[in-house]
Amino acid sequence: MSSHELKTGPLEYRTEEGRLTILGFWIFLGAEIVLFATLFATYAVLFGRTADAPSPGELFEAKTLMIMTFMLLTSSFTCGIAIHEMRRGSVKGLRNWMIVTLLLGLGFLGFEIYEFIHYAHEGATLQSSAYWSSFFTLAGTHGLHVTLGIGWVTLLLIQLTQRGLTPKTSRKFFVIGLYWHFLDVVWIFIFTSVYLIGMVV
Amino acid sequence: MTDHKKRIPTQHIIGFFLSITLTLVAAWAALQSDLSVRWIIIGIMALAIIQAGIQLFMFMHVVEPESQGGHIPWNMMFHGGVLATILVAGSLFTMSFGFSHDHDGDGHNQQEQQEEHSEMEDSTEHSGH
Amino acid sequence: MQLDEFFVTGEPLIYAGMVSIALVTISILFFLTYYKKWGWLWREWLTTVDHKKIGIMYILSALAMLFRGGVDAMMMRTQLAFPNMNFLNAQHYDEIFTTHGTVMIIFMAMPFLIGLMNFVVPLQIGARDVAFPYLNALSFWSFLFGAMLFNISFVIGGSPDAGWTSYTPLAGAAMSPGPGQNFYLLGLQLSGIGTLATGINFMVTILKMRAPKMRMFQMPIFTWSTLITSFIIVFAFPILTVALALMTLDRVFGAQFFTLTGEGMPMMWANLFWMWGHPEVYIVILPAFGIFSEVISAFARKQLFGYKAMVWAIILIAGLSFLVWVHHFFTMGAGAFVNSVFSISTMLIAVPTGVKIFNWLGTLYKSKINNTVAMMWALAFIPSFVIGGVTGVMLGMASADYQFHNTYFLVAHFHYVLIAGTVFACFSGLVFWYPKMFGHKLNERLGRWSFWFFVIGFHVCFFPQYFVGLDGMPRRVFTIIPEWMPLNVISTVGAFGMGAGFAIFVFTILYSYRYSEREKTGDSWDNGRTLEWATPTPVPFYNFATLPHIDSQDAYVKLKQEGKTTFEEDKVEPIHMPSNTGQPFIMMAFMFIAGFGLVFEWMWMAIGGLLAVFVMMVIRSFDYDEGFHVEVDEIKRTERSARRL
């Protein structure tokens, strides 16, 4: 393990530790794809098995869905800007855009919780049928990832205030950036194959 | 992409507008258009894949030079995609026997069909004797 | 909950188990206190991030698990020897075949191989540790606590009894109430996290931390097989994680995935389980292939024949491993078309595997074989594994499988591939690398005794099972009919032969610790071909004082020819190393508590444990420990004494 630090290039790639961690995180994202794909596969196989509970077409609302989707898409964009600012060396830019990302993430989460409670009132819960089990598990796993991401960003913002931009803090922000964009990718597929197809079929 | 000092992140802005547009097109196709269900599904899944690509290439910089051309990240994403396809398509393919008889998601219907099925088995047994 | 509900009661064998656990625990505690070894245990082992020590801990735990699984096996064989035996009742028998399978695959085979990978791979590629040493320690402790969680089930709460495949609806809450099945779900979940982390860790290590100039196609074959195994782990383990989580939701939170109510689909469990399960088979066999390749090439004293073909065969097997899962449930009724597709993909696997067999034979051809114990295990593997492989192709034919399915023919097949493949490889690899790990060889004469007992016992045990299977004996029955008795008696005799072989192996370890000559050079077998033999024995904690430039396959052969070592005094620089930490141990101990709470559905305990895990993660996030540097003087001192300069 050499501790040689490069003098050029983005901060997060300058130490070997940074390069290894970023690569490791990409590999972890490969595993995450499979994790979500398994949930999607379960959802697809159990599609239509609603038993006595309402069908998704009766419950899904286009308006809430579009608000949630735009919030998450925008948060992915602001997160990208935050990393762009970080590479320009701007602590302030990074911090402010990251806080915007955080707020959008919280907003998304709020809508998702509201949505789940609403469905539960209509008689669709984790326990009501195979279809709804798979729906709540798929959407819930995504929501759980967003929650963890919010907690993680908060920790990193504290560390940024404590330490400023170092190879280590910028590596951490870069990695959470990848994570956040990835969650957006997953949401795009949930939006399409769960909500849109659920409303069509 | 290599110029990190650039003030305006053009690529991010283009990517953002593209993803908003694609989302709207997908929502329109699913909710407003009068395409057939099959074409809606194919169309919006294709749009989703394009959007995933936008996130990967324009936001996550999967192939930026700092990660040595993104050789390994790209490989992981590609193989992850292959695996995802195998998982979803393979499960549907293998499990197809399980839900061929309740396509409209009605439990009673399933029961009836099963009864019908067992009746048919009974009758073949009888004819065998 | 009453105490007599908490502990398993009413079985003399289990009382004996409890007493022996208590005795062993007390004697360990006594030993540690009496010899004042607590500090040593904490500093040297529980907090270590050194890949070599972690590897050794993996192997020791795996040997303990091999003992546990082996005792299960011999109990089953005793019960099955004669018709109407009353040694085990049906319930106890079901629990034992379940734990035997789970322990052997998840807590013996994988950890044993991961232990060897941990010890060997960084040395083979000229790295000073794995890419993420902290994560590596985390992996080990998650495995060990997962194994503990699974293993305590037989004295607390009751063991799972739905088979290692845990098929629903039998394994669901309706038909298997109580904590037993939850132990399976959470024990596997906990250790699965660690396995996934290991996969990521080794991929990054091998891809990024090779010695200067070492190209991918110059890596030793064991490293190659580790890389590809890691790739399979990364893509297969999340499937298990999800499948286990879904069944946990079913059992603990009332979801309806695999239930018979709410339009659940029990067959989906089998589908998900084998989507992970088949790649898992290759996770335990590919490293074994790597070990045999190393051992055969070392003791045939030749470069491996067809190195590139070997690598591509491994890659092809890895790819196919994701496309054959349905062959485990042909009889479920997916239909002729689905079965045909998977029948063909299954039989395709025989092609690259055949290529590998010919590569090993090609390496042996016209070579001067050095007949050590490690080599004997490798030589015994080839014909035994071929028998297992050929019967595997028979099972792969969907229409014929309707005849073989769930009979002893299948049991014989998978024991022939897993024992002759994985277990022989574990023994072979352990004997081969033992001097590097412990500074002395295992006694060869005793090693031969254990080899012959084990290998002959293995064939005597499992070969008759093919025939008793064709005679119609189903697997997982706890009693036999008189017609099956003769072959079953033979099989039981063989099982005890294997038990004797294992006992002699353990005795060999103790005997060699006392009497074997200590190693003087790093190249214990005089014909090491890869970089791990270039290090002195015992290996310094930083592994390599200086990193050699690699420009050929079998790097150490070239180094020896050129008279170079991994200690070029004028080139020594300070080496950066990671610091020890107790965090992984503590974090996973909390995870164990959370898992235990969830097993008994005590939510306060589960939530409390998880919160403590999160606190540990926050602590880790704020931990900016940068490790330390080993100074040039210290390196020179260490190397001079190790190399007796």
mmCIF file of all heavy atoms in Angstrom, chain C residues 101 188 205 371 394 416 444 553 592:
data_model
loop_
_atom_site.group_PDB
_atom_site.id
_atom_site.type_symbol
_atom_site.label_atom_id
_atom_site.label_comp_id
_atom_site.label_asym_id
_atom_site.label_seq_id
_atom_site.Cartn_x
_atom_site.Cartn_y
_atom_site.Cartn_z
ATOM 1 N N GLY C 101 -26.181 -30.217 5.754
ATOM 2 C CA GLY C 101 -26.035 -29.577 4.451
ATOM 3 C C GLY C 101 -25.652 -28.116 4.570
ATOM 4 O O GLY C 101 -24.715 -27.639 3.922
ATOM 5 N N LEU C 188 -27.637 -17.411 7.852
ATOM 6 C CA LEU C 188 -27.140 -17.277 6.483
ATOM 7 C C LEU C 188 -27.059 -15.818 6.046
ATOM 8 O O LEU C 188 -26.132 -15.418 5.360
ATOM 9 C CB LEU C 188 -28.044 -18.057 5.510
ATOM 10 C CG LEU C 188 -27.533 -19.437 5.124
ATOM 11 C CD1 LEU C 188 -27.469 -20.320 6.352
ATOM 12 C CD2 LEU C 188 -28.422 -20.062 4.087
ATOM 13 N N THR C 205 -8.599 -6.160 -4.971
ATOM 14 C CA THR C 205 -7.212 -6.528 -4.678
ATOM 15 C C THR C 205 -6.522 -7.085 -5.919
ATOM 16 O O THR C 205 -5.421 -6.658 -6.279
ATOM 17 C CB THR C 205 -7.175 -7.599 -3.566
ATOM 18 O OG1 THR C 205 -7.952 -7.132 -2.473
ATOM 19 C CG2 THR C 205 -5.766 -7.872 -3.112
ATOM 20 N N ASN C 371 5.707 -37.324 -5.175
ATOM 21 C CA ASN C 371 4.474 -37.838 -4.604
ATOM 22 C C ASN C 371 4.275 -37.465 -3.133
ATOM 23 O O ASN C 371 4.335 -38.297 -2.253
ATOM 24 C CB ASN C 371 4.418 -39.359 -4.786
ATOM 25 C CG ASN C 371 2.988 -39.822 -4.885
ATOM 26 O OD1 ASN C 371 2.111 -39.014 -5.166
ATOM 27 N ND2 ASN C 371 2.759 -41.080 -4.626
ATOM 28 N N MET C 394 -25.662 -37.144 -16.405
ATOM 29 C CA MET C 394 -26.859 -38.002 -16.418
ATOM 30 C C MET C 394 -28.037 -37.292 -15.775
ATOM 31 O O MET C 394 -29.164 -37.315 -16.284
ATOM 32 C CB MET C 394 -26.587 -39.307 -15.654
ATOM 33 C CG MET C 394 -25.633 -40.249 -16.361
ATOM 34 S SD MET C 394 -25.089 -41.569 -15.265
ATOM 35 C CE MET C 394 -26.571 -42.552 -15.155
ATOM 36 N N TYR C 416 -19.934 -36.691 -4.583
ATOM 37 C CA TYR C 416 -18.754 -36.982 -5.403
ATOM 38 C C TYR C 416 -18.119 -35.714 -5.949
ATOM 39 O O TYR C 416 -16.906 -35.622 -6.077
ATOM 40 C CB TYR C 416 -19.117 -37.937 -6.557
ATOM 41 C CG TYR C 416 -18.631 -39.349 -6.294
ATOM 42 C CD1 TYR C 416 -19.386 -40.232 -5.533
ATOM 43 C CD2 TYR C 416 -17.399 -39.775 -6.781
ATOM 44 C CE1 TYR C 416 -18.932 -41.505 -5.270
ATOM 45 C CE2 TYR C 416 -16.932 -41.055 -6.517
ATOM 46 C CZ TYR C 416 -17.705 -41.922 -5.760
ATOM 47 O OH TYR C 416 -17.230 -43.169 -5.499
ATOM 48 N N GLU C 444 4.361 -36.217 6.930
ATOM 49 C CA GLU C 444 3.939 -36.848 5.677
ATOM 50 C C GLU C 444 3.427 -38.274 5.890
ATOM 51 O O GLU C 444 2.497 -38.716 5.239
ATOM 52 C CB GLU C 444 5.097 -36.872 4.683
ATOM 53 C CG GLU C 444 5.406 -35.514 4.062
ATOM 54 C CD GLU C 444 4.524 -35.182 2.861
ATOM 55 O OE1 GLU C 444 4.488 -35.972 1.899
ATOM 56 O OE2 GLU C 444 3.866 -34.132 2.891
ATOM 57 N N GLN C 553 4.918 -15.702 -16.415
ATOM 58 C CA GLN C 553 4.099 -16.573 -15.607
ATOM 59 C C GLN C 553 5.050 -17.346 -14.692
ATOM 60 O O GLN C 553 6.233 -17.430 -14.982
ATOM 61 C CB GLN C 553 3.392 -17.512 -16.589
ATOM 62 C CG GLN C 553 2.194 -18.227 -16.081
ATOM 63 C CD GLN C 553 1.847 -19.299 -17.084
ATOM 64 O OE1 GLN C 553 1.918 -19.065 -18.282
ATOM 65 N NE2 GLN C 553 1.480 -20.455 -16.596
ATOM 66 N N PHE C 592 -24.977 -9.876 15.613
ATOM 67 C CA PHE C 592 -25.374 -11.186 16.142
ATOM 68 C C PHE C 592 -26.542 -11.012 17.115
ATOM 69 O O PHE C 592 -27.537 -11.745 17.054
ATOM 70 C CB PHE C 592 -24.166 -11.802 16.866
ATOM 71 C CG PHE C 592 -24.454 -13.098 17.564
ATOM 72 C CD1 PHE C 592 -24.396 -14.295 16.872
ATOM 73 C CD2 PHE C 592 -24.770 -13.118 18.914
ATOM 74 C CE1 PHE C 592 -24.651 -15.491 17.516
ATOM 75 C CE2 PHE C 592 -25.027 -14.317 19.562
ATOM 76 C CZ PHE C 592 -24.962 -15.496 18.864
#
